[in-house]
Amino acid sequence: MGKPILYEILEKPATSCVIGMCTAIWLYIQKKNIGYSHVGLSYEAAIEGHYWRIITSAFSHISIIHLVFNMSALWSLGVVEQLGHMGLGTEFYLHYSLVLVVVSGVLVLGAYHVLIQKFKLEYFRRVTAVGYSCVVFGWMTILAVKQPSSKLNLFGFLSLPISFAPFESLIFTSIIVPQASFLGHLSGIISGYAIAWGLIHGMNNYWAVSMLGWIIFVFVLSLKRSGAFHFNFLEIESVTDLSLPSVRFASGNGRTLQMSSLPVVGVNLL
């Protein structure tokens, strides 16, 4: 028999808090009928100053299937919190979850910029990314490097060798979920390797608190400058339900916001 769920929650406090927060945000989004285009990350929104979307997009999910899949994988990866003897542990988890959210979001925008400016692929200008899987793929990669003998368990019945899980999952999700963000997931993998190989290092409580302070400052400032300071978008009607992976959205599928009048041409699940 496995451990009691309460015991596991106490062993993975940070993971449990993140899962609880993402679930609460999803419930709030459903209650308020908020569309993905109003919280997701897109290149066009970013160049208009909507930097706050790097944060809101990471913690928002557009369907229960999307939420359950990401949170199930995250729960399995919470073993990172139990590996303090390997230099990981709960503090490491909190510090570098913050890094993964920001760095993976910036990498997604950078990839969009290259595709748009260098390869003239205008489709990526308004593709909107939503979900926590950039961070999930980041932790998957870190664990693959630090603890290659581990297993990634999904939904209690699917088990993958963690050493191959990042790229297996990248290919698997891209095939079975056409809307899955290949670039978003890849950015999580790149960020994870940068942390695991020590290219990004030195995070401690001081730097984590400082980084969090700057994130809050930029978040609030960009909310104000983008015209979303009063959160008027919270009463906007939702777009079509995206529970089915094969659904694609055409241009102009959301309500016009006070803070943005840009159409959305697609959605990528992170």
PDB file of all heavy atoms in Angstrom, residues 68-103:
ATOM      1  N   VAL A  68      -5.739  18.594 -14.941  1.00  0.00           N
ATOM      2  CA  VAL A  68      -5.448  17.298 -14.321  1.00  0.00           C
ATOM      3  C   VAL A  68      -4.155  16.702 -14.881  1.00  0.00           C
ATOM      4  O   VAL A  68      -3.330  16.160 -14.125  1.00  0.00           O
ATOM      5  CB  VAL A  68      -6.626  16.321 -14.523  1.00  0.00           C
ATOM      6  CG1 VAL A  68      -6.224  14.896 -14.140  1.00  0.00           C
ATOM      7  CG2 VAL A  68      -7.822  16.769 -13.691  1.00  0.00           C
ATOM      8  N   PHE A  69      -3.952  16.799 -16.179  1.00  0.00           N
ATOM      9  CA  PHE A  69      -2.737  16.241 -16.783  1.00  0.00           C
ATOM     10  C   PHE A  69      -1.492  16.930 -16.221  1.00  0.00           C
ATOM     11  O   PHE A  69      -0.535  16.273 -15.807  1.00  0.00           O
ATOM     12  CB  PHE A  69      -2.784  16.388 -18.302  1.00  0.00           C
ATOM     13  CG  PHE A  69      -1.672  15.663 -19.000  1.00  0.00           C
ATOM     14  CD1 PHE A  69      -1.797  14.318 -19.321  1.00  0.00           C
ATOM     15  CD2 PHE A  69      -0.495  16.312 -19.328  1.00  0.00           C
ATOM     16  CE1 PHE A  69      -0.762  13.630 -19.955  1.00  0.00           C
ATOM     17  CE2 PHE A  69       0.544  15.638 -19.954  1.00  0.00           C
ATOM     18  CZ  PHE A  69       0.408  14.294 -20.271  1.00  0.00           C
ATOM     19  N   ASN A  70      -1.500  18.267 -16.196  1.00  0.00           N
ATOM     20  CA  ASN A  70      -0.338  19.004 -15.691  1.00  0.00           C
ATOM     21  C   ASN A  70      -0.099  18.754 -14.208  1.00  0.00           C
ATOM     22  O   ASN A  70       1.040  18.569 -13.765  1.00  0.00           O
ATOM     23  CB  ASN A  70      -0.513  20.502 -15.938  1.00  0.00           C
ATOM     24  CG  ASN A  70      -0.125  20.906 -17.346  1.00  0.00           C
ATOM     25  OD1 ASN A  70       0.419  20.111 -18.107  1.00  0.00           O
ATOM     26  ND2 ASN A  70      -0.395  22.143 -17.706  1.00  0.00           N
ATOM     27  N   MET A  71      -1.171  18.760 -13.416  1.00  0.00           N
ATOM     28  CA  MET A  71      -1.016  18.604 -11.971  1.00  0.00           C
ATOM     29  C   MET A  71      -0.629  17.177 -11.597  1.00  0.00           C
ATOM     30  O   MET A  71       0.090  16.955 -10.622  1.00  0.00           O
ATOM     31  CB  MET A  71      -2.300  19.021 -11.248  1.00  0.00           C
ATOM     32  CG  MET A  71      -2.637  20.512 -11.392  1.00  0.00           C
ATOM     33  SD  MET A  71      -1.317  21.643 -10.855  1.00  0.00           S
ATOM     34  CE  MET A  71      -0.581  22.142 -12.437  1.00  0.00           C
ATOM     35  N   SER A  72      -1.077  16.201 -12.358  1.00  0.00           N
ATOM     36  CA  SER A  72      -0.681  14.817 -12.110  1.00  0.00           C
ATOM     37  C   SER A  72       0.819  14.646 -12.321  1.00  0.00           C
ATOM     38  O   SER A  72       1.511  14.016 -11.504  1.00  0.00           O
ATOM     39  CB  SER A  72      -1.452  13.871 -13.035  1.00  0.00           C
ATOM     40  OG  SER A  72      -0.994  12.545 -12.899  1.00  0.00           O
ATOM     41  N   ALA A  73       1.330  15.210 -13.411  1.00  0.00           N
ATOM     42  CA  ALA A  73       2.769  15.142 -13.670  1.00  0.00           C
ATOM     43  C   ALA A  73       3.550  15.913 -12.613  1.00  0.00           C
ATOM     44  O   ALA A  73       4.595  15.453 -12.127  1.00  0.00           O
ATOM     45  CB  ALA A  73       3.068  15.699 -15.059  1.00  0.00           C
ATOM     46  N   LEU A  74       3.043  17.077 -12.226  1.00  0.00           N
ATOM     47  CA  LEU A  74       3.725  17.890 -11.216  1.00  0.00           C
ATOM     48  C   LEU A  74       3.782  17.163  -9.876  1.00  0.00           C
ATOM     49  O   LEU A  74       4.791  17.234  -9.166  1.00  0.00           O
ATOM     50  CB  LEU A  74       3.002  19.230 -11.060  1.00  0.00           C
ATOM     51  CG  LEU A  74       3.687  20.256 -10.150  1.00  0.00           C
ATOM     52  CD1 LEU A  74       5.028  20.683 -10.727  1.00  0.00           C
ATOM     53  CD2 LEU A  74       2.794  21.474  -9.935  1.00  0.00           C
ATOM     54  N   TRP A  75       2.697  16.476  -9.512  1.00  0.00           N
ATOM     55  CA  TRP A  75       2.669  15.734  -8.252  1.00  0.00           C
ATOM     56  C   TRP A  75       3.762  14.662  -8.229  1.00  0.00           C
ATOM     57  O   TRP A  75       4.456  14.489  -7.233  1.00  0.00           O
ATOM     58  CB  TRP A  75       1.293  15.093  -8.061  1.00  0.00           C
ATOM     59  CG  TRP A  75       1.182  14.264  -6.812  1.00  0.00           C
ATOM     60  CD1 TRP A  75       1.179  12.899  -6.733  1.00  0.00           C
ATOM     61  CD2 TRP A  75       1.072  14.744  -5.470  1.00  0.00           C
ATOM     62  NE1 TRP A  75       1.062  12.499  -5.424  1.00  0.00           N
ATOM     63  CE2 TRP A  75       0.995  13.615  -4.625  1.00  0.00           C
ATOM     64  CE3 TRP A  75       1.024  16.014  -4.903  1.00  0.00           C
ATOM     65  CZ2 TRP A  75       0.877  13.711  -3.248  1.00  0.00           C
ATOM     66  CZ3 TRP A  75       0.906  16.126  -3.513  1.00  0.00           C
ATOM     67  CH2 TRP A  75       0.840  14.989  -2.715  1.00  0.00           C
ATOM     68  N   SER A  76       3.925  13.966  -9.339  1.00  0.00           N
ATOM     69  CA  SER A  76       4.967  12.940  -9.423  1.00  0.00           C
ATOM     70  C   SER A  76       6.357  13.558  -9.311  1.00  0.00           C
ATOM     71  O   SER A  76       7.253  13.006  -8.658  1.00  0.00           O
ATOM     72  CB  SER A  76       4.839  12.176 -10.740  1.00  0.00           C
ATOM     73  OG  SER A  76       5.831  11.186 -10.855  1.00  0.00           O
ATOM     74  N   LEU A  77       6.527  14.731  -9.905  1.00  0.00           N
ATOM     75  CA  LEU A  77       7.822  15.411  -9.896  1.00  0.00           C
ATOM     76  C   LEU A  77       8.134  16.058  -8.549  1.00  0.00           C
ATOM     77  O   LEU A  77       9.261  16.489  -8.305  1.00  0.00           O
ATOM     78  CB  LEU A  77       7.867  16.472 -10.998  1.00  0.00           C
ATOM     79  CG  LEU A  77       7.819  15.921 -12.425  1.00  0.00           C
ATOM     80  CD1 LEU A  77       7.512  17.028 -13.419  1.00  0.00           C
ATOM     81  CD2 LEU A  77       9.137  15.243 -12.778  1.00  0.00           C
ATOM     82  N   GLY A  78       7.136  16.100  -7.666  1.00  0.00           N
ATOM     83  CA  GLY A  78       7.346  16.672  -6.338  1.00  0.00           C
ATOM     84  C   GLY A  78       8.362  15.913  -5.520  1.00  0.00           C
ATOM     85  O   GLY A  78       8.767  16.372  -4.438  1.00  0.00           O
ATOM     86  N   VAL A  79       8.800  14.757  -6.013  1.00  0.00           N
ATOM     87  CA  VAL A  79       9.850  13.993  -5.332  1.00  0.00           C
ATOM     88  C   VAL A  79      11.116  14.834  -5.178  1.00  0.00           C
ATOM     89  O   VAL A  79      11.955  14.564  -4.307  1.00  0.00           O
ATOM     90  CB  VAL A  79      10.148  12.684  -6.111  1.00  0.00           C
ATOM     91  CG1 VAL A  79      10.812  12.986  -7.448  1.00  0.00           C
ATOM     92  CG2 VAL A  79      11.017  11.744  -5.289  1.00  0.00           C
ATOM     93  N   VAL A  80      11.247  15.871  -6.007  1.00  0.00           N
ATOM     94  CA  VAL A  80      12.387  16.797  -5.895  1.00  0.00           C
ATOM     95  C   VAL A  80      12.490  17.338  -4.467  1.00  0.00           C
ATOM     96  O   VAL A  80      13.590  17.519  -3.931  1.00  0.00           O
ATOM     97  CB  VAL A  80      12.229  17.967  -6.892  1.00  0.00           C
ATOM     98  CG1 VAL A  80      13.249  19.064  -6.610  1.00  0.00           C
ATOM     99  CG2 VAL A  80      12.390  17.464  -8.327  1.00  0.00           C
ATOM    100  N   GLU A  81      11.363  17.576  -3.828  1.00  0.00           N
ATOM    101  CA  GLU A  81      11.358  18.122  -2.473  1.00  0.00           C
ATOM    102  C   GLU A  81      11.929  17.142  -1.450  1.00  0.00           C
ATOM    103  O   GLU A  81      12.330  17.550  -0.359  1.00  0.00           O
ATOM    104  CB  GLU A  81       9.941  18.512  -2.068  1.00  0.00           C
ATOM    105  CG  GLU A  81       9.351  19.660  -2.862  1.00  0.00           C
ATOM    106  CD  GLU A  81       8.088  20.192  -2.227  1.00  0.00           C
ATOM    107  OE1 GLU A  81       8.185  20.786  -1.126  1.00  0.00           O
ATOM    108  OE2 GLU A  81       7.001  20.001  -2.807  1.00  0.00           O
ATOM    109  N   GLN A  82      11.949  15.869  -1.777  1.00  0.00           N
ATOM    110  CA  GLN A  82      12.423  14.847  -0.851  1.00  0.00           C
ATOM    111  C   GLN A  82      13.903  14.523  -1.054  1.00  0.00           C
ATOM    112  O   GLN A  82      14.435  13.611  -0.423  1.00  0.00           O
ATOM    113  CB  GLN A  82      11.582  13.576  -1.025  1.00  0.00           C
ATOM    114  CG  GLN A  82      10.098  13.804  -0.793  1.00  0.00           C
ATOM    115  CD  GLN A  82       9.241  12.636  -1.263  1.00  0.00           C
ATOM    116  OE1 GLN A  82       9.660  11.860  -2.118  1.00  0.00           O
ATOM    117  NE2 GLN A  82       8.056  12.510  -0.704  1.00  0.00           N
ATOM    118  N   LEU A  83      14.560  15.258  -1.951  1.00  0.00           N
ATOM    119  CA  LEU A  83      15.952  14.960  -2.295  1.00  0.00           C
ATOM    120  C   LEU A  83      16.905  16.033  -1.787  1.00  0.00           C
ATOM    121  O   LEU A  83      17.839  16.440  -2.484  1.00  0.00           O
ATOM    122  CB  LEU A  83      16.090  14.810  -3.820  1.00  0.00           C
ATOM    123  CG  LEU A  83      15.262  13.686  -4.459  1.00  0.00           C
ATOM    124  CD1 LEU A  83      15.398  13.708  -5.969  1.00  0.00           C
ATOM    125  CD2 LEU A  83      15.702  12.324  -3.906  1.00  0.00           C
ATOM    126  N   GLY A  84      16.653  16.480  -0.561  1.00  0.00           N
ATOM    127  CA  GLY A  84      17.535  17.486   0.037  1.00  0.00           C
ATOM    128  C   GLY A  84      18.964  17.009   0.166  1.00  0.00           C
ATOM    129  O   GLY A  84      19.910  17.798   0.081  1.00  0.00           O
ATOM    130  N   HIS A  85      19.155  15.706   0.357  1.00  0.00           N
ATOM    131  CA  HIS A  85      20.502  15.142   0.493  1.00  0.00           C
ATOM    132  C   HIS A  85      21.294  15.221  -0.807  1.00  0.00           C
ATOM    133  O   HIS A  85      22.522  15.047  -0.811  1.00  0.00           O
ATOM    134  CB  HIS A  85      20.413  13.674   0.946  1.00  0.00           C
ATOM    135  CG  HIS A  85      19.678  12.796  -0.014  1.00  0.00           C
ATOM    136  ND1 HIS A  85      18.302  12.788  -0.120  1.00  0.00           N
ATOM    137  CD2 HIS A  85      20.131  11.881  -0.922  1.00  0.00           C
ATOM    138  CE1 HIS A  85      17.931  11.916  -1.047  1.00  0.00           C
ATOM    139  NE2 HIS A  85      19.013  11.356  -1.542  1.00  0.00           N
ATOM    140  N   MET A  86      20.586  15.505  -1.920  1.00  0.00           N
ATOM    141  CA  MET A  86      21.256  15.631  -3.221  1.00  0.00           C
ATOM    142  C   MET A  86      21.402  17.089  -3.640  1.00  0.00           C
ATOM    143  O   MET A  86      21.729  17.395  -4.785  1.00  0.00           O
ATOM    144  CB  MET A  86      20.469  14.873  -4.294  1.00  0.00           C
ATOM    145  CG  MET A  86      20.414  13.380  -4.072  1.00  0.00           C
ATOM    146  SD  MET A  86      19.485  12.558  -5.388  1.00  0.00           S
ATOM    147  CE  MET A  86      20.442  13.031  -6.828  1.00  0.00           C
ATOM    148  N   GLY A  87      21.143  18.007  -2.701  1.00  0.00           N
ATOM    149  CA  GLY A  87      21.230  19.424  -3.020  1.00  0.00           C
ATOM    150  C   GLY A  87      19.961  19.990  -3.599  1.00  0.00           C
ATOM    151  O   GLY A  87      19.954  21.124  -4.085  1.00  0.00           O
ATOM    152  N   LEU A  88      18.869  19.197  -3.548  1.00  0.00           N
ATOM    153  CA  LEU A  88      17.587  19.686  -4.048  1.00  0.00           C
ATOM    154  C   LEU A  88      16.743  20.080  -2.837  1.00  0.00           C
ATOM    155  O   LEU A  88      17.117  20.960  -2.097  1.00  0.00           O
ATOM    156  CB  LEU A  88      16.914  18.615  -4.908  1.00  0.00           C
ATOM    157  CG  LEU A  88      17.734  18.139  -6.115  1.00  0.00           C
ATOM    158  CD1 LEU A  88      17.010  17.038  -6.867  1.00  0.00           C
ATOM    159  CD2 LEU A  88      18.058  19.293  -7.045  1.00  0.00           C
ATOM    160  N   GLY A  89      15.562  19.529  -2.652  1.00  0.00           N
ATOM    161  CA  GLY A  89      14.758  19.853  -1.484  1.00  0.00           C
ATOM    162  C   GLY A  89      13.730  20.945  -1.745  1.00  0.00           C
ATOM    163  O   GLY A  89      13.625  21.481  -2.855  1.00  0.00           O
ATOM    164  N   THR A  90      12.988  21.300  -0.710  1.00  0.00           N
ATOM    165  CA  THR A  90      11.863  22.234  -0.849  1.00  0.00           C
ATOM    166  C   THR A  90      12.323  23.643  -1.212  1.00  0.00           C
ATOM    167  O   THR A  90      11.718  24.300  -2.061  1.00  0.00           O
ATOM    168  CB  THR A  90      11.036  22.271   0.448  1.00  0.00           C
ATOM    169  OG1 THR A  90      10.512  20.959   0.712  1.00  0.00           O
ATOM    170  CG2 THR A  90       9.874  23.247   0.328  1.00  0.00           C
ATOM    171  N   GLU A  91      13.394  24.130  -0.573  1.00  0.00           N
ATOM    172  CA  GLU A  91      13.886  25.486  -0.896  1.00  0.00           C
ATOM    173  C   GLU A  91      14.325  25.565  -2.346  1.00  0.00           C
ATOM    174  O   GLU A  91      14.005  26.525  -3.061  1.00  0.00           O
ATOM    175  CB  GLU A  91      15.042  25.874   0.029  1.00  0.00           C
ATOM    176  CG  GLU A  91      14.604  26.397   1.380  1.00  0.00           C
ATOM    177  CD  GLU A  91      15.724  27.076   2.135  1.00  0.00           C
ATOM    178  OE1 GLU A  91      16.808  27.306   1.543  1.00  0.00           O
ATOM    179  OE2 GLU A  91      15.531  27.381   3.320  1.00  0.00           O
ATOM    180  N   PHE A  92      15.083  24.570  -2.778  1.00  0.00           N
ATOM    181  CA  PHE A  92      15.527  24.515  -4.171  1.00  0.00           C
ATOM    182  C   PHE A  92      14.318  24.522  -5.104  1.00  0.00           C
ATOM    183  O   PHE A  92      14.299  25.223  -6.125  1.00  0.00           O
ATOM    184  CB  PHE A  92      16.366  23.256  -4.386  1.00  0.00           C
ATOM    185  CG  PHE A  92      16.959  23.121  -5.768  1.00  0.00           C
ATOM    186  CD1 PHE A  92      18.225  23.594  -6.040  1.00  0.00           C
ATOM    187  CD2 PHE A  92      16.251  22.503  -6.801  1.00  0.00           C
ATOM    188  CE1 PHE A  92      18.782  23.464  -7.315  1.00  0.00           C
ATOM    189  CE2 PHE A  92      16.786  22.362  -8.063  1.00  0.00           C
ATOM    190  CZ  PHE A  92      18.059  22.856  -8.319  1.00  0.00           C
ATOM    191  N   TYR A  93      13.310  23.744  -4.750  1.00  0.00           N
ATOM    192  CA  TYR A  93      12.096  23.638  -5.554  1.00  0.00           C
ATOM    193  C   TYR A  93      11.407  25.001  -5.686  1.00  0.00           C
ATOM    194  O   TYR A  93      11.010  25.402  -6.782  1.00  0.00           O
ATOM    195  CB  TYR A  93      11.161  22.626  -4.907  1.00  0.00           C
ATOM    196  CG  TYR A  93       9.899  22.337  -5.691  1.00  0.00           C
ATOM    197  CD1 TYR A  93       9.865  21.341  -6.650  1.00  0.00           C
ATOM    198  CD2 TYR A  93       8.741  23.078  -5.472  1.00  0.00           C
ATOM    199  CE1 TYR A  93       8.716  21.067  -7.372  1.00  0.00           C
ATOM    200  CE2 TYR A  93       7.582  22.808  -6.182  1.00  0.00           C
ATOM    201  CZ  TYR A  93       7.578  21.808  -7.124  1.00  0.00           C
ATOM    202  OH  TYR A  93       6.431  21.555  -7.847  1.00  0.00           O
ATOM    203  N   LEU A  94      11.259  25.703  -4.587  1.00  0.00           N
ATOM    204  CA  LEU A  94      10.606  27.014  -4.617  1.00  0.00           C
ATOM    205  C   LEU A  94      11.428  28.031  -5.405  1.00  0.00           C
ATOM    206  O   LEU A  94      10.889  28.779  -6.228  1.00  0.00           O
ATOM    207  CB  LEU A  94      10.387  27.514  -3.184  1.00  0.00           C
ATOM    208  CG  LEU A  94       9.290  26.817  -2.385  1.00  0.00           C
ATOM    209  CD1 LEU A  94       9.348  27.245  -0.931  1.00  0.00           C
ATOM    210  CD2 LEU A  94       7.914  27.109  -2.975  1.00  0.00           C
ATOM    211  N   HIS A  95      12.731  28.061  -5.136  1.00  0.00           N
ATOM    212  CA  HIS A  95      13.594  29.031  -5.812  1.00  0.00           C
ATOM    213  C   HIS A  95      13.551  28.858  -7.324  1.00  0.00           C
ATOM    214  O   HIS A  95      13.371  29.829  -8.075  1.00  0.00           O
ATOM    215  CB  HIS A  95      15.043  28.878  -5.327  1.00  0.00           C
ATOM    216  CG  HIS A  95      15.241  29.216  -3.889  1.00  0.00           C
ATOM    217  ND1 HIS A  95      16.395  28.894  -3.195  1.00  0.00           N
ATOM    218  CD2 HIS A  95      14.431  29.855  -2.994  1.00  0.00           C
ATOM    219  CE1 HIS A  95      16.295  29.313  -1.954  1.00  0.00           C
ATOM    220  NE2 HIS A  95      15.113  29.902  -1.804  1.00  0.00           N
ATOM    221  N   TYR A  96      13.729  27.621  -7.764  1.00  0.00           N
ATOM    222  CA  TYR A  96      13.874  27.400  -9.202  1.00  0.00           C
ATOM    223  C   TYR A  96      12.540  27.223  -9.921  1.00  0.00           C
ATOM    224  O   TYR A  96      12.500  27.328 -11.156  1.00  0.00           O
ATOM    225  CB  TYR A  96      14.834  26.245  -9.459  1.00  0.00           C
ATOM    226  CG  TYR A  96      16.259  26.669  -9.175  1.00  0.00           C
ATOM    227  CD1 TYR A  96      16.866  26.371  -7.968  1.00  0.00           C
ATOM    228  CD2 TYR A  96      16.963  27.432 -10.100  1.00  0.00           C
ATOM    229  CE1 TYR A  96      18.156  26.800  -7.691  1.00  0.00           C
ATOM    230  CE2 TYR A  96      18.257  27.870  -9.837  1.00  0.00           C
ATOM    231  CZ  TYR A  96      18.844  27.552  -8.623  1.00  0.00           C
ATOM    232  OH  TYR A  96      20.121  27.995  -8.372  1.00  0.00           O
ATOM    233  N   SER A  97      11.448  27.008  -9.195  1.00  0.00           N
ATOM    234  CA  SER A  97      10.128  27.089  -9.839  1.00  0.00           C
ATOM    235  C   SER A  97       9.897  28.518 -10.310  1.00  0.00           C
ATOM    236  O   SER A  97       9.364  28.758 -11.407  1.00  0.00           O
ATOM    237  CB  SER A  97       9.015  26.674  -8.853  1.00  0.00           C
ATOM    238  OG  SER A  97       9.019  25.289  -8.635  1.00  0.00           O
ATOM    239  N   LEU A  98      10.308  29.469  -9.484  1.00  0.00           N
ATOM    240  CA  LEU A  98      10.200  30.885  -9.839  1.00  0.00           C
ATOM    241  C   LEU A  98      11.023  31.176 -11.092  1.00  0.00           C
ATOM    242  O   LEU A  98      10.565  31.849 -12.018  1.00  0.00           O
ATOM    243  CB  LEU A  98      10.697  31.726  -8.660  1.00  0.00           C
ATOM    244  CG  LEU A  98      10.315  33.198  -8.601  1.00  0.00           C
ATOM    245  CD1 LEU A  98       8.805  33.382  -8.526  1.00  0.00           C
ATOM    246  CD2 LEU A  98      10.985  33.857  -7.387  1.00  0.00           C
ATOM    247  N   VAL A  99      12.238  30.645 -11.124  1.00  0.00           N
ATOM    248  CA  VAL A  99      13.112  30.839 -12.287  1.00  0.00           C
ATOM    249  C   VAL A  99      12.497  30.209 -13.530  1.00  0.00           C
ATOM    250  O   VAL A  99      12.492  30.820 -14.614  1.00  0.00           O
ATOM    251  CB  VAL A  99      14.506  30.232 -12.011  1.00  0.00           C
ATOM    252  CG1 VAL A  99      15.366  30.264 -13.286  1.00  0.00           C
ATOM    253  CG2 VAL A  99      15.209  30.985 -10.892  1.00  0.00           C
ATOM    254  N   LEU A 100      11.961  28.996 -13.404  1.00  0.00           N
ATOM    255  CA  LEU A 100      11.389  28.295 -14.552  1.00  0.00           C
ATOM    256  C   LEU A 100      10.194  29.044 -15.142  1.00  0.00           C
ATOM    257  O   LEU A 100      10.044  29.108 -16.368  1.00  0.00           O
ATOM    258  CB  LEU A 100      10.965  26.880 -14.155  1.00  0.00           C
ATOM    259  CG  LEU A 100      12.102  25.873 -13.957  1.00  0.00           C
ATOM    260  CD1 LEU A 100      11.580  24.592 -13.309  1.00  0.00           C
ATOM    261  CD2 LEU A 100      12.785  25.559 -15.280  1.00  0.00           C
ATOM    262  N   VAL A 101       9.348  29.599 -14.287  1.00  0.00           N
ATOM    263  CA  VAL A 101       8.188  30.353 -14.777  1.00  0.00           C
ATOM    264  C   VAL A 101       8.641  31.519 -15.647  1.00  0.00           C
ATOM    265  O   VAL A 101       8.144  31.723 -16.766  1.00  0.00           O
ATOM    266  CB  VAL A 101       7.325  30.872 -13.602  1.00  0.00           C
ATOM    267  CG1 VAL A 101       6.313  31.904 -14.104  1.00  0.00           C
ATOM    268  CG2 VAL A 101       6.598  29.728 -12.914  1.00  0.00           C
ATOM    269  N   VAL A 102       9.613  32.287 -15.144  1.00  0.00           N
ATOM    270  CA  VAL A 102      10.054  33.498 -15.849  1.00  0.00           C
ATOM    271  C   VAL A 102      10.901  33.165 -17.073  1.00  0.00           C
ATOM    272  O   VAL A 102      10.642  33.665 -18.177  1.00  0.00           O
ATOM    273  CB  VAL A 102      10.843  34.424 -14.896  1.00  0.00           C
ATOM    274  CG1 VAL A 102      11.408  35.625 -15.647  1.00  0.00           C
ATOM    275  CG2 VAL A 102       9.957  34.886 -13.747  1.00  0.00           C
ATOM    276  N   VAL A 103      11.897  32.307 -16.894  1.00  0.00           N
ATOM    277  CA  VAL A 103      12.824  32.015 -17.994  1.00  0.00           C
ATOM    278  C   VAL A 103      12.113  31.304 -19.144  1.00  0.00           C
ATOM    279  O   VAL A 103      12.322  31.646 -20.322  1.00  0.00           O
ATOM    280  CB  VAL A 103      14.017  31.166 -17.493  1.00  0.00           C
ATOM    281  CG1 VAL A 103      14.890  30.710 -18.664  1.00  0.00           C
ATOM    282  CG2 VAL A 103      14.853  31.972 -16.515  1.00  0.00           C
TER     283      VAL A 103
END
